[in-house]
Amino acid sequence: MNAPVDPKKLIKGGLHDWEVVVGMEVHAQVSSRAKLFSGASTEFGAEPNDHVSLVDAAMPGMLPVINQECIAQAVRTGLGLKARINRRSVFDRKNYFYPDLPQGYQISQYKDPIVGEGEVLVDMLDGTSITVGIERLHLEQDAGKSLHDQDPTKSFVDLNRSGVALMEIVSRPDLRSSEEAKAYVTKLRTILRYLGTCDGDMEKGSLRADVNVSVRRPGEPLGTRCEIKNVNSIRFIGQAIETEARRQIAILEDGGSIDQETRLFDPGKGETRSMRSKEEAHDYRYFPDPDLLPLEFDQAYVDALAAGLPELPDAKKARFVKDYGLSPYDAGVLVAERASADYYEAVAKGRDGKAAANWVINELFGRLNKEGLSIESTPVSADQLGAIVDLIGEGVISGKIAKDLFEIVWTEGGDPRALVESRGMKQVTDTGAIEAAIDQIIAANPDKVAQAKEKPTLLGWFVGQTMKATGGKANPAAVNALLKDKLGIA
Amino acid sequence: MDPNELTLAEARDALKAKRISARELTQAHLDAMAKARALNAFVRETPDLALKMADEADRKLASGEARPLEGIPLGIKDLFCTEGVTTTAGSKILETFVPPYESAVSANLWRDGAVMLGKLNLDEFAMGSSNETSAYGNVVSPWRRRGSDAQLVPGGSSGGSAAAVAARLCLGATATDTGGSIRQPAAFTGTVGIKPTYGRCSRWGTVAFASSLDQAGPIARTVRDCAILLGSMAGPDARDTTCVDLPVPDFEAAVSRGVKGLTIGIPKEYRVDGMPAEIQKLWDDGAAWLKEAGATIREISLPHTSSALPAYYIVAPAEASSNLARYDGVRYGLRVPGKDIAGMYENTRAAGFGREVKRRIMIGTYVLSAGYYDAYYVRAQKIRTLIKRDFEQAYAAGVDAILTPATPSAAFGIGEKASADPVEMYLNDVFTVTVNMAGLPGIAVPAGIDGQGLPLGLQLIGRPFDEETLFAVAQVIEDSAGRTKLPEPWWA
Amino acid sequence: MSVDEKTVRRIAHLARIAVTDDEVGPLQGELNAILAFVEQLGAVDVSGVEPMTSVTPMAMKKREDVVTEGGRAAEMVANAPETEDNYFLVPKVVE
Ligand SMILES: [Mg+2]
Ligand SMILES: [Zn+2]
């Protein structure tokens, strides 16, 4: 029944080894201009209650009308998750009282979601990959926001988010470690961003996860799970799982049992704590929203959306491996963001794919990371980087000089080819000039010359001196050949 | 010419012919309204607004740009949100609520030139059949039993609408019908009321009771007046997903079509045990009149009739329990403090809702709660499918409209049905509620006076979106029965 | 089915309606009268019947993804019992 358990994934308890089992409900804000059932803006950061329609404020007699773009976005996402698209789905009311839930119910999809089973392929750092089952994706309304720190006795309610469209993407409990969970959310985020159906901005709350965690002895049936609500960064997802798994293990090893409950992760204290006891468990009284008809569309609608989908990361990665001869790892790094992949392809076009990948991943990404910049705000364009790669390929500059050139382009901009000319960065292949430099070095260091005959590794020292003398512009192959000849090294 | 005795159609013609001005017509109704406060039909009078609208109507009439309802003074049930005018739904919880928007139905009436006299009383959140659940006091019917001055109910929930129309305080009124709330009060007051097909009128801006059952419609003194009003109230609305995109037919033209060649169904299941002889006779008379006018009368069967009322008392409270969750003391209306947020909710809703509303919210909450949903709600919705199928089969077999009594009895006295068993009151809607469950159009038309001198009505049920046939058939009944003589204004 | 006192209190809490001890008994009686009335539905054969989801079979109307509303914060809070800076104020909510 169960796949063999990878011992590396087990958590060591005081008494036994434990397997953690994780499933996730990811809430992804749908990219749309207007809300799911009203014409108010979804834009982030407005003045309180400014992006609120009569519908969002649940004024008496107000009725929801669905935003067709949100439907299209959910279908696109379903297609991106290789999931079954349900051509008939139903909107239900989930009834509960909360001050940031103005209607007294959330319009969601319960029994008949718009998207059914799908899957996500997740690559792990160690080169293995796992397939995470998607149970469903449904559309629902976001709630408003309450601020609790303005006043000692009052909470302040802002309904700007109230009614913004969310996709709740529910995974199967297929994840077996915090690493897998983090990688899954990362991959999901990549897919959503490729599709353009969610911006994935976790800082703005565009992507949040409810994490279901249970532990069991390997081979045993699933344990009782706890749901950790609203974890809003990938790092916290990992921490929350680790913390919660250890809490459960401690209880179980102590002979206790786990209460199924909703918990909150407190990153400051590094603990999860109970939000709601079982007695307070909600009875949501789901029923089909009588203000909304069932949502129905035909296959042609789905097909048209499918035809408009971009190439997704898995396909792109496979193509990069095949067409550019990249390692799966490098290809994976490049396709993690659609903009990075596009940048890479612009650099690689008509050039050596591997060299391009090296420059994009090591130099560009490295530098962007260091500066905390995204690919969208790179100061070095794909054309500029392409030109640098060309200059190396043509033997005009050495790899070392290329790094200097990259630095100049990064800070000052400009056409790399022109910069090489104007700053005299061209590689020296003229053996006469190199010879002159070498002769000078040999003349100045007779002791080293003598040693070199017995100790050929000293060649490296001479190469370094020569490069220094020529300002790094000497062709390294020519320097090597000349030095060997003059020093009499075989 | 007594402006208060005109029908809406007559007033319209008199305005167009300049025999009366909109201001005169409006003032006459404002005066009648002011003198009729004993009826408690209006919860809010808006005389300044009325006169302003009347003056605008007079300008349009003078410049020859008169719109279909130019200068016609109307009452608006206080369930329709009116911009800048307090809208309470008959509830204490909305005592202070001033909507910043106008309901689709009332906006349509103002678009067509009508004049608002004020807001009409109703059962709280339209939950009731006698107008005794209003937080603003019950409405007193303009009708009395012969030789008695005992106060009678006007029916409900559109009790204020029916009473105001019967007492000639307005030429017509908006009303809503979730289980019979237009047709039962119309029958109790000798007026005409039509609940159109679900989806004919937009629900946007009307305080919701039970979304899948609620429909707006008019109450007026004649079939023609109802046809005129519905023509303005109805129409597509992009803001209501359940409102159909069908053009509004010329309902007034349908009034004179006659019934020749039509087949009228008489459902045998409506012959309930204990039906008063007078009601049975009224029903037989109605069938005879229609036959005489050229219709074919055919007995039909609607086998799931008896399930409609109990199924209704699952579906309607379920939807209501959810629709009324928004009244929580946060964004509008009453707030009663509590020890914490949940306490605030509980105190607010305990103080803001009346007994009947609380009862229905609780029943609705119960039937939707975990473990009961399938047994109650899902089952009731299946029964709804069966009820609708009964009608579909009758219509498929060639029936054009169905004739039934509108109510099982004439109006009763205020306080007479205040027993501990709420079901006794619910039985008032036994003939009307099937129509809501199936989403069909239904009209109540006065057809006679009982032994105590109280009006009785007949109901006609039509095919979906075939209100025209209902108006045609109802007109034949109105002609055959003779217009009901409305009570003299003892209240003035 | 019928409800006991405990259930009446549970439903009242779910519905966020405070009930006094005096109210529980009468409410229980009324709710049970209604439940007894709807009990007869158990006798109806509903096998193979689809529950009604919409009275009128039609395609659901949809809106374009266009911002048409907003910018009315003051109006949104105008009816509220307690506000500050266009926020709705409620008794402090503790999570
Ligand atoms: Mg969830
Ligand atoms: Zn959710």
Side-chain angles (χ1 to χ4, degrees):
Chain A
M1 188 181 78
N2 291 313
V5 179
D6 178 354
K8 286 199 298 290
K9 294 179 188 169
L10 295 180
I11 298 180
K12 282 235 175 306
L15 304 173
H16 321 282
D17 285 348
W18 295 85
E19 184 183 33
V20 62
V21 177
V22 177
M24 293 226 237
E25 293 157 29
V26 170
H27 285 95
Q29 181 181 328
V30 174
S31 294
S32 65
R33 284 185 282 268
K35 294 182 180 179
L36 181 54
F37 293 112
S38 85
S41 170
T42 58
E43 206 186 304
F44 183 80
E47 290 295 304
N49 288 308
D50 205 47
H51 290 174
V52 176
S53 77
L54 297 166
V55 175
D56 308 322
M59 291 286 174
M62 289 302 106
L63 299 170
V65 179
I66 197 162
N67 179 339
Q68 58 186 21
E69 177 62 10
C70 296
I71 301 169
Q73 293 287 53
V75 172
R76 286 185 190 110
T77 307
L79 292 167
L81 301 177
K82 301 194 228 22
R84 197 184 68 236
I85 306 299
N86 294 325
R87 276 157 42 198
R88 182 181 189 279
S89 66
V90 174
F91 287 95
D92 297 286
R93 292 185 183 178
K94 179 180 183 181
N95 294 282
Y96 64 98
F97 287 88
Y98 208 74
D100 56 21
L101 187 73
Q103 299 162 122
Y105 53 84
Q106 176 195 36
I107 306 178
S108 181
Q109 298 190 298
Y110 185 51
K111 283 207 183 111
D112 301 295
I114 186 166
V115 175
E117 293 94 342
E119 59 181 46
V120 175
L121 184 72
V122 182
D123 294 328
M124 301 304 298
L125 272 177
D126 65 4
T128 60
S129 60
I130 55 168
T131 300
V132 180
I134 299 294
E135 203 168 287
R136 57 185 280 153
L137 174 156
H138 66 255
L139 279 168
E140 63 184 25
Q141 298 175 299
D142 202 352
K145 225 179 171 57
S146 298
L147 310 177
H148 307 298
D149 308 323
Q150 323 296 108
D151 184 288
T153 62
K154 306 281 176 190
S155 290
F156 284 47
V157 180
D158 171 18
L159 300 179
N160 281 342
R161 289 194 72 90
S162 162
V164 167
L166 301 178
M167 297 180 280
E168 180 171 331
I169 302 164
V170 182
S171 86
R172 295 197 181 284
D174 287 348
L175 301 158
R176 293 292 176 272
S177 68
S178 58
E179 287 308 314
E180 289 187 358
K182 288 195 288 183
Y184 162 70
V185 177
T186 306
K187 181 61 180 285
L188 192 59
R189 185 175 174 276
T190 298
I191 295 171
L192 295 172
R193 285 173 54 82
Y194 263 72
L195 292 164
T197 59
C198 169
D199 67 19
D201 190 336
M202 298 187 85
E203 270 165 35
K204 289 182 182 163
S206 298
L207 203 74
R208 287 113 71 187
D210 298 341
V211 192
N212 289 296
V213 180
S214 66
V215 296
R216 64 176 171 192
R217 304 281 307 281
E220 288 192 349
L222 289 176
T224 304
R225 67 190 165 89
C226 286
E227 182 178 15
I228 308 160
K229 279 277 177 201
N230 255 330
V231 190
N232 60 4
S233 87
I234 289 176
R235 193 159 55 94
F236 290 164
I237 288 170
Q239 290 173 2
I241 293 169
E242 293 288 335
T243 308
E244 177 60 15
R246 283 178 200 289
R247 185 189 71 89
Q248 293 183 13
I249 290 167
I251 292 173
L252 293 171
E253 293 198 339
D254 230 28
S257 62
I258 305 300
D259 288 332
Q260 184 169 341
E261 61 181 356
T262 304
R263 300 180 69 85
L264 213 64
F265 177 62
D266 183 334
K269 293 192 180 133
E271 61 176 30
T272 68
R273 63 184 143 83
S274 184
M275 264 176 89
R276 226 179 269 143
S277 67
K278 227 193 290 186
E279 304 85 79
E280 271 290 304
H282 283 305
D283 184 341
Y284 289 122
R285 291 159 285 135
Y286 283 100
F287 76 109
D289 190 330
D291 287 331
L292 293 162
L293 298 163
L295 174 60
E296 291 173 308
F297 42 76
D298 54 18
Q299 190 56 42
Y301 172 78
V302 180
D303 293 345
L305 289 171
L309 289 187
E311 183 184 35
L312 289 174
D314 292 345
K316 206 181 273 289
K317 180 180 168 187
R319 185 167 59 80
F320 281 11
V321 170
K322 183 168 163 284
D323 291 2
Y324 297 110
L326 302 187
S327 71
Y329 179 83
D330 282 355
V333 171
L334 289 170
V335 304
E337 290 284 349
R338 189 171 164 180
S340 308
D342 289 348
Y343 185 101
Y344 165 72
E345 284 215 86
V347 176
K349 198 173 175 209
R351 300 188 176 99
D352 176 54
K354 278 186 187 164
N358 270 331
W359 273 89
V360 171
I361 294 171
N362 298 325
E363 297 310 315
L364 182 74
F365 289 1
R367 189 63 199 271
L368 287 169
N369 252 333
K370 208 171 112 195
E371 308 280 332
L373 292 176
S374 72
I375 186 76
E376 284 84 0
S377 47
T378 173
V380 178
S381 73
D383 277 352
Q384 288 170 316
L385 189 61
I388 295 174
V389 175
D390 284 343
L391 290 165
I392 306 165
E394 291 161 13
V396 177
I397 54 174
S398 67
K400 189 174 173 302
I401 289 288
K403 289 184 188 184
D404 296 342
L405 180 58
F406 177 84
E407 188 57 33
I408 294 167
V409 175
W410 177 280
T411 46
E412 300 170 35
D415 171 18
R417 212 170 270 279
L419 284 167
V420 165
E421 286 292 345
S422 66
R423 312 225 173 163
M425 299 171 85
K426 260 192 167 164
Q427 186 160 259
V428 180
T429 39
D430 168 8
T431 44
I434 301 172
E435 247 186 300
I438 291 176
D439 288 344
Q440 251 187 337
I441 294 163
I442 288 177
N445 298 284
D447 49 336
K448 287 230 161 54
V449 174
Q451 284 172 33
K453 297 219 160 78
E454 286 108 57
K455 205 177 159 205
T457 51
L458 259 179
L459 179 66
W461 183 85
F462 282 98
V463 171
Q465 292 299 307
T466 313
M467 294 309 281
K468 208 171 161 185
T470 56
K473 284 176 281 183
N475 183 319
V479 172
N480 256 301
L482 282 167
L483 275 170
K484 280 186 181 164
D485 186 45
K486 297 209 181 234
L487 296 170
I489 299 170
Chain B
M1 177 177 61
D2 179 350
N4 298 87
E5 295 300 330
L6 296 173
T7 67
L8 190 152
E10 288 163 356
R12 176 188 59 184
D13 298 344
L15 283 164
K16 275 204 187 122
K18 314 273 193 317
R19 277 182 275 131
I20 191 169
S21 71
R23 183 170 252 271
E24 286 165 336
L25 186 66
T26 296
Q27 191 60 58
H29 284 92
L30 289 173
D31 293 345
M33 179 170 78
K35 280 190 228 157
R37 292 195 182 124
L39 300 182
N40 199 29
F42 280 87
V43 288
R44 197 154 302 92
E45 300 175 3
T46 55
D48 296 344
L49 181 60
L51 290 173
K52 201 177 133 224
M53 293 172 94
D55 288 344
E56 170 66 11
D58 278 329
R59 274 192 291 279
K60 294 265 188 199
L61 285 158
S63 63
E65 302 165 281
R67 297 160 291 177
L69 290 173
E70 201 67 67
I72 299 293
L74 301 175
I76 302 297
K77 187 179 184 178
D78 207 21
L79 202 63
F80 294 88
C81 289
T82 41
E83 188 173 353
V85 177
T86 308
T87 300
T88 67
S91 180
K92 201 177 162 197
I93 212 160
L94 282 177
E95 196 165 9
T96 58
F97 177 60
V98 183
Y101 51 95
E102 186 75 30
S103 83
V105 162
S106 53
N108 286 347
L109 292 169
W110 316 143
R111 174 204 62 204
D112 283 355
V115 168
M116 178 161 86
L117 294 169
K119 302 296 291 287
L120 292 159
N121 206 344
L122 69 156
D123 278 302
E124 186 179 5
F125 283 104
M127 297 179 192
S129 305
S130 65
N131 222 301
E132 292 169 292
T133 74
S134 168
Y136 304 98
N138 53 269
V139 175
V140 177
S141 175
W143 288 85
R144 288 167 163 181
R145 293 187 185 109
R146 202 172 288 133
S148 159
D149 58 7
Q151 293 192 337
L152 301 181
V153 305
S157 65
S158 309
S161 306
V165 169
R168 281 87 84 209
L169 313 183
C170 54
L171 288 170
T174 64
T176 62
D177 189 318
T178 304
S181 282
I182 289 175
R183 291 158 290 156
Q184 183 253 19
F188 275 14
T189 57
T191 56
V192 184
I194 181 165
K195 180 203 91 78
T197 314
Y198 183 83
R200 182 63 98 177
C201 290
S202 168
R203 295 183 295 114
W204 192 90
T206 306
V207 176
F209 162 12
S211 309
S212 75
L213 301 159
D214 296 345
Q215 255 304 285
I219 292 180
R221 289 198 286 277
T222 68
V223 172
R224 178 177 298 271
D225 289 358
C226 270
I228 294 168
L229 282 173
L230 184 60
S232 283
M233 292 165 71
D237 185 355
R239 299 167 300 177
D240 177 359
T241 290
T242 62
C243 179
V244 293
D245 288 327
L246 286 178
V248 181
D250 185 346
F251 292 132
E252 192 179 2
V255 162
S256 46
R257 273 189 199 171
V259 294
K260 256 194 202 73
L262 294 184
T263 298
I264 306 296
I266 308 287
K268 60 179 191 212
E269 289 81 6
Y270 282 61
R271 214 162 280 138
V272 294
D273 290 344
M275 182 186 279
E278 281 181 313
I279 302 278
Q280 181 62 55
K281 179 176 180 302
L282 185 84
W283 195 7
D284 294 340
D285 285 349
W289 294 328
L290 295 176
K291 195 174 173 192
E292 211 167 295
T296 303
I297 306 298
R298 187 197 294 172
E299 183 172 274
I300 60 165
S301 174
L302 300 169
H304 296 91
T305 299
S306 67
S307 297
L309 195 60
Y312 172 86
Y313 274 96
I314 291 169
V315 174
E319 293 182 8
S321 70
S322 177
N323 282 336
L324 271 60
R326 65 188 56 199
Y327 306 104
D328 57 6
V330 175
R331 295 165 316 284
Y332 40 76
L334 184 75
R335 171 184 291 190
V336 179
K339 66 170 172 23
D340 54 14
I341 182 93
M344 187 274 274
Y345 287 153
E346 294 188 351
N347 293 345
T348 297
R349 291 163 62 79
F353 292 139
R355 200 184 166 99
E356 180 63 27
V357 171
K358 287 188 218 177
R359 191 150 62 205
R360 294 205 199 186
I361 289 175
M362 287 186 62
I363 276 288
T365 303
Y366 180 68
V367 299
L368 289 176
S369 65
Y372 299 101
Y373 175 73
D374 288 320
Y376 287 114
Y377 188 79
V378 175
R379 188 172 194 87
Q381 290 288 39
K382 286 180 178 172
I383 287 167
R384 246 182 121 173
T385 302
L386 292 171
I387 292 166
K388 190 168 183 233
R389 199 178 288 168
D390 286 354
F391 282 104
E392 282 165 355
Q393 282 164 358
Y395 293 132
V399 169
D400 296 295
I402 294 164
L403 179 72
T404 79
T407 57
S409 73
F412 45 89
I414 289 172
E416 250 172 45
K417 294 206 175 180
S419 89
D421 185 353
V423 175
E424 207 190 310
M425 184 69 87
Y426 298 169
L427 290 170
N428 262 289
D429 293 333
V430 67
F431 297 139
T432 49
V433 80
T434 48
V435 174
N436 303 78
M437 293 298 269
L440 301 173
I443 191 168
V445 57
I449 298 286
D450 76 356
Q452 309 174 91
L454 296 180
L456 293 172
L458 285 172
Q459 173 179 237
L460 289 156
I461 304 168
R463 292 193 162 107
F465 301 103
D466 186 16
E467 291 85 0
E468 289 163 281
T469 296
L470 292 188
F471 285 124
V473 182
Q475 185 62 51
V476 169
I477 291 177
E478 186 177 284
D479 291 342
S480 307
R483 286 255 311 276
T484 299
K485 192 181 172 316
L486 295 168
E488 289 305 315
W490 52 264
W491 55 86
Chain C
M1 275 176 266
S2 64
V3 294
D4 56 16
E5 276 196 22
K6 204 177 134 227
T7 309
V8 172
R9 289 182 197 277
R10 184 178 62 83
I11 300 165
H13 178 64
L14 255 185
R16 296 293 186 275
I17 295 173
V19 291
T20 62
D21 291 346
D22 297 350
E23 288 171 320
V24 174
L27 262 174
Q28 186 191 349
E30 291 157 19
L31 298 185
N32 280 333
I34 299 168
L35 291 174
F37 175 60
V38 304
E39 203 68 11
Q40 57 181 289
L41 295 180
V44 182
D45 180 10
V46 293
S47 46
V49 179
E50 279 296 307
M52 186 182 276
T53 41
S54 67
V55 244
T56 314
M58 57 190 258
M60 181 155 67
K61 286 189 264 194
K62 300 166 188 82
R63 69 165 71 236
E64 302 269 325
D65 185 26
V66 179
V67 176
T68 54
E69 294 162 283
R72 294 169 74 183
E75 247 176 296
M76 291 300 151
V77 302
N79 275 288
E82 204 182 346
T83 68
E84 198 178 308
D85 300 334
N86 289 342
Y87 284 101
F88 299 101
L89 262 57
V90 297
K92 192 157 195 106
V93 181
V94 272
E95 293 215 311

